[in-house]
Amino acid sequence: MASRQIMALVLIFVFIGGAVAEKREIYLALMEGDPIASSSSSRRHALNSEDLRLRAKSMVDYHDQLLESTLEATSYSKLYSFKHVINGFAVHATQSEAEKLKRAVGVRHLEKDRGVKLMTTYTPEFLGLPPGDRGRILQGGSRDAGRGIVIGFVDTGIDPLHPSFANTYPVATSEDGNSSDSGKFTGDCEMGPLFPAGSCNGKIVSARFFAAGARAAAPLKPYVDFMSPYDAVGHGSHVAAAAAGNVDVPVVVNGFVYGRARGMAPAANTRLCLLSQEPSSCCRIAVYKAVYPTIGTLTDVIAAIDQAVQDGVDLISLAVGPDDPPEGTITFLSVFDVALLFARRAGVFVAQAAGNKGPAPYTMLSFSPWSVGAASSSTDRTYAGSLLLGNGLRVRGVGLSGPTPGSGMLLHRLISAKDALNANGTYPRTPPYTDECQHPEAFDPATVQGSIVLCAFSAGFLSQTSSLDSIISTARALGFMGFALLANLSYGDFIAEPIPFGIPGILIPKVADVQAILKYYEGEKSGGSAKAAIEEGRVASYNTKAPIVSRFSSRGPDFLNIGKAPVDVLKPDVLAPGHQVWAAWSPISASQPILTGYNFALLSGTSMATAHVIGAAALIKQHNPSWSPAMISSAMSTTAKNYDNHGEIISAEGPAVGSLYPSTPFDVGHGQLNPTAAIDPGLVFESDYDDYLSFLCSTPGIDPAALKAVTGELCTRPFSYQSDLNLPSVTISSLVGSRMISRRVKNVGNWQELYTCTVFPPSGTTVTISPPWFTINPQGMQDLHLQVNATEVRNEFSHGEVILRGRLNHIVRIPLSVRTVSSSPWSP
């Protein structure tokens, strides 16, 4: 009897162990057969025709039939059918069920959803678009910039009540809130919590939300994970406002006016549209919420991209994306990157955040040449507060706060957190209580009231269990006059970003400055005579060296797989402001409690850089409506600047806090975005869908069978080398002996122009170009041939460039990045 009981227990444990191993996860499947979207933009604008609706229904039916015939009916959940940019579906299933699907007839490719993350007013002027000049540059004034364009934002949603998205003169709408114009775009306005009827007001032309993946992946919180397009995080509102927010919106935080915000392409001022009798021609925002405070899934993001292409957007902003390269597949062949390839095939320009994993090399998260990867830079605007000590020493720091009473003329008691503790308290004697000012119960209220308290940056901040929000809560509860968060001598300097404080506060991130403060404090504290004042920290200055590549901005080289094998593609593509950008925010601020209640936020991240790139793309598209996404990308790239405002090569922040080094193309791409020049670049480099297929077919490590599995295409016209793709740059990740590189340029100007070619070869190479000069007619083509010879084995990348100078003042820059591995093709 006992042995039977033991056997039963063993069976129970085996069953439980199997159940744990068989947890359900989200898988993405690609199917045989082409998606609906084609390479023809005219056909893309007819994606809602009746015959295509019937085709879409047939695809969905086929997906359902395959699942029903392969898996048990109650064991899985289909989340989406993808029909427009890819033919496939997302399913919530076990690993063993996924293996069955992988072997099913009709399934080309299957991969696990690896999740997504967020890549988190003055910047238009910094990019050369000041209000006084923009009218001459961009047809009709700053309020008209971006006119005629629909930008799709795949993000955390939008706050429809924010003034950055207001429409004082709304276009006519139908009862369900949709715009009634009959242009090429056909969206929808999905209503729900905090997103009532009328939220789509003509500025916001469409708003949808996608949550099937989020619901399957984690328990959602109804008080923040709203089933509507409303943005409870703030990130989506910030990105949309930086790209296309209204003009002259006062940025008010804690009662202080920081200036007036506007997006790069703000022209959804519908009054102008009504006056022109062309409401359908105005730049508008289409919202595709796919990331939630609790979780973000690749499944929801791909569903959003699929819908955006069907709706007919001109451009897609992807300031969200996978936080790691794909496992088990080539970077270019992940379901996500294939979806972007087919979006490009459908005529949609995609800007993608490069990632926030810098400054180490090989941290890029935008891999493919068919999307534009945005790196982040600073502008020349800084906010610097200061702590004035009783001995007259003024220590510079960071903190968006007002001054302590007296504006520096009146000094207040200064005391260290350790010297203000409640000696009889029962709290733990750990750094969050004794050093970091996280808990009010640790202090003697009479000692800290009316004082400036010195808190220490300690282990809790490194582990992210301590926060500035808790310091502020403690300060408010006990009546601090102000606080200063000091670098800890044991941990070294820390990185400080300006955050609006509702009370006087300052961050002192440098150990050397902290040593001076503590020397003064220790000398004065015995008599209680240590005094200080926090001075004004909210006034900006505009004299800093800029741009500088942000420390967090992900770096190249681009790579093929999780093993970081380099490839012949330059990434990132372009540098844009992404450091300390003011824009709209959601007062719920579900992921950042310190910003709760604010309507604006000062944020940093390649997300913010993406907003500037997509806004600039709208300006270029407005001025050149017939241009393809590749032409827009080329125009941005070849006109980008690689010098800063001091006339020096753009610097990049290094691993050590405050360290700088001269940037390379793997930090800046082609250089700093220059929208004014990009509107009239002179020459462009074009590539189409077939060229990208040839690129993939010639990429070492890509099996033609794997390519056919994800794209449905055969390798019929591979390039000789991967580097033959007609990009506005040349990257050779493994040069053996010599290589001939060909490029073709097109004159998009209105006049015949003579160009002369100058080459600055990378170290360890010689480079010649043919022809050395050429004359090209409007809409004419010119082939260029570059002979690249290895003269020295370096086994690391070195950089140079080709410059094409036109007689009509056009300058076209082509970065060269080469890694020589052998100076002779016969070397072993």
Side-chain angles (χ1 to χ4, degrees), residues 12-69:
I12 289 171
F13 288 135
V14 169
F15 175 77
I16 292 173
V20 170
E22 285 291 284
K23 70 175 183 178
R24 298 170 77 192
E25 296 184 276
I26 301 174
Y27 293 89
L28 300 161
L30 294 179
M31 300 290 293
E32 296 282 355
D34 291 334
I36 291 175
S38 74
S39 58
S40 166
S41 62
S42 61
R43 286 192 64 190
R44 178 171 67 85
H45 296 152
L47 287 178
N48 291 281
S49 62
E50 185 59 29
D51 60 328
L52 292 181
R53 286 195 186 95
L54 291 174
R55 184 179 166 197
K57 183 179 183 304
S58 175
M59 292 169 70
V60 173
D61 291 343
Y62 179 58
H63 299 164
D64 292 341
Q65 290 167 11
L66 180 136
L67 285 166
E68 290 168 3
S69 63

Side-chain angles (χ1 to χ4, degrees), residues 150-342:
V150 178
I151 307 176
F153 293 92
V154 178
D155 217 295
T156 63
I158 200 165
D159 178 0
L161 299 180
H162 197 282
S164 289
F165 313 119
N167 224 336
T168 308
Y169 303 89
V171 297
T173 57
S174 60
E175 290 183 1
D176 62 2
N178 297 327
S179 171
S180 64
D181 67 69
S182 56
K184 64 186 182 183
F185 180 81
T186 56
D188 191 17
C189 196
E190 297 177 352
M191 293 167 278
L194 301 181
F195 211 86
S199 295
C200 296
N201 58 1
K203 173 77 173 183
I204 302 170
V205 70
S206 176
R208 302 177 186 268
F209 68 99
F210 302 82
R215 286 191 186 108
L220 299 185
K221 304 178 182 69
Y223 54 90
V224 288
D225 296 311
F226 300 117
M227 293 297 103
S228 79
Y230 183 80
D231 180 15
V233 175
H235 187 272
S237 299
H238 197 281
V239 171
N246 286 334
V247 176
D248 294 333
V249 179
V251 178
V252 182
V253 177
N254 292 325
F256 186 84
V257 180
Y258 285 90
R260 291 181 177 272
R262 73 173 180 277
M264 286 288 293
N269 184 319
T270 313
R271 177 176 166 224
L272 292 177
C273 304
L274 291 174
L275 291 174
S276 68
Q277 301 300 307
E278 295 181 87
S280 64
S281 70
C282 294
C283 175
R284 295 168 296 171
I285 291 170
V287 178
Y288 300 87
K289 178 178 174 179
V291 181
Y292 294 79
T294 296
I295 197 168
T297 68
L298 201 52
T299 292
D300 290 332
V301 169
I302 292 175
I305 295 169
D306 195 58
Q307 186 64 57
V309 172
Q310 180 191 9
D311 289 346
V313 301
D314 296 286
L315 313 105
I316 291 177
S317 165
L318 277 175
V320 303
D323 199 41
D324 293 293
E327 296 185 17
T329 187
I330 302 300
T331 52
F332 303 135
L333 299 185
S334 71
V335 175
F336 180 66
D337 279 77
V338 170
L340 301 187
L341 171 62
F342 281 102

Side-chain angles (χ1 to χ4, degrees), residues 403-439:
T404 49
S407 299
M409 301 298 293
L410 179 63
L411 299 179
H412 306 271
R413 183 184 182 188
L414 183 68
I415 190 164
S416 167
K418 283 187 174 181
D419 294 331
L421 296 174
N422 179 358
N424 298 320
T426 58
Y427 55 88
R429 267 52 177 182
T430 57
Y433 290 84
T434 60
D435 298 275
E436 298 174 351
C437 303
Q438 299 293 293
H439 302 280

